Amino acid sequence: VQLQASGGGLVQAGGSLRLSCTASGRLLSSTVMNWFRQAPGKEREFVSAVRWRGSRSYYADSVKGRFTILRDNAENTIYLQMSSLKPEDSAVYYCAAGPTMDALDAFSWGRGTLVTVSS
């Protein structure tokens, strides 16, 4: 399975962006689709996740209430709708597929997409 992420860009604080991650190939229903991010000089961190077939979604506390993870199984795509963006949200965002929300378990990563939030 290959993942293709897109949608990053430059936005002012308080603005919105939507990231996309499209999978080529078949995903098991139990696969967890994740978003991670890494800011310069910082560790990679978990942002959000959803099972490929499932309703429950998960969020880091830092983005809860501002970010929404969406899934379109017909298009083999997940989205990360980001609202009320803050400068501290600036990072390279990666989508990843794996059996869990742990980045170390991921079997496929998309190329990162850069999000820059200006103050």
Side-chain angles (χ1 to χ4, degrees):
V1 173
Q2 291 186 325
L3 304 178
Q4 179 69 42
S6 62
L10 174 64
V11 64
Q12 288 189 328
S16 300
L17 275 177
R18 188 177 78 164
L19 307 183
S20 302
C21 177
T22 300
S24 60
R26 193 167 182 175
L27 291 167
L28 297 177
S29 59
S30 60
T31 298
V32 179
M33 300 299 295
N34 299 279
W35 286 99
F36 296 93
R37 66 186 182 187
Q38 187 166 21
K42 294 190 176 181
E43 297 286 321
R44 179 177 55 202
E45 63 175 351
F46 169 80
V47 176
S48 183
V50 66
R51 285 198 185 277
W52 189 238
R53 300 280 180 179
S55 58
R56 189 169 178 180
S57 53
Y58 304 85
Y59 299 94
D61 288 343
S62 59
V63 307
K64 207 170 288 184
R66 300 187 298 119
F67 290 11
T68 303
I69 191 167
L70 303 167
R71 185 190 64 231
D72 186 337
N73 294 109
E75 296 294 327
N76 258 25
T77 299
I78 62 166
Y79 302 94
L80 186 68
Q81 179 66 49
M82 306 184 294
S83 302
S84 302
L85 283 161
K86 305 175 182 180
E88 51 263 44
D89 294 317
S90 297
V92 177
Y93 284 71
Y94 300 89
C95 60
T100 71
M101 294 187 289
D102 190 331
L104 296 177
D105 294 333
F107 56 75
S108 183
W109 288 83
R111 184 174 292 184
T113 185
L114 178 63
V115 172
T116 304
V117 184
S118 63
S119 56

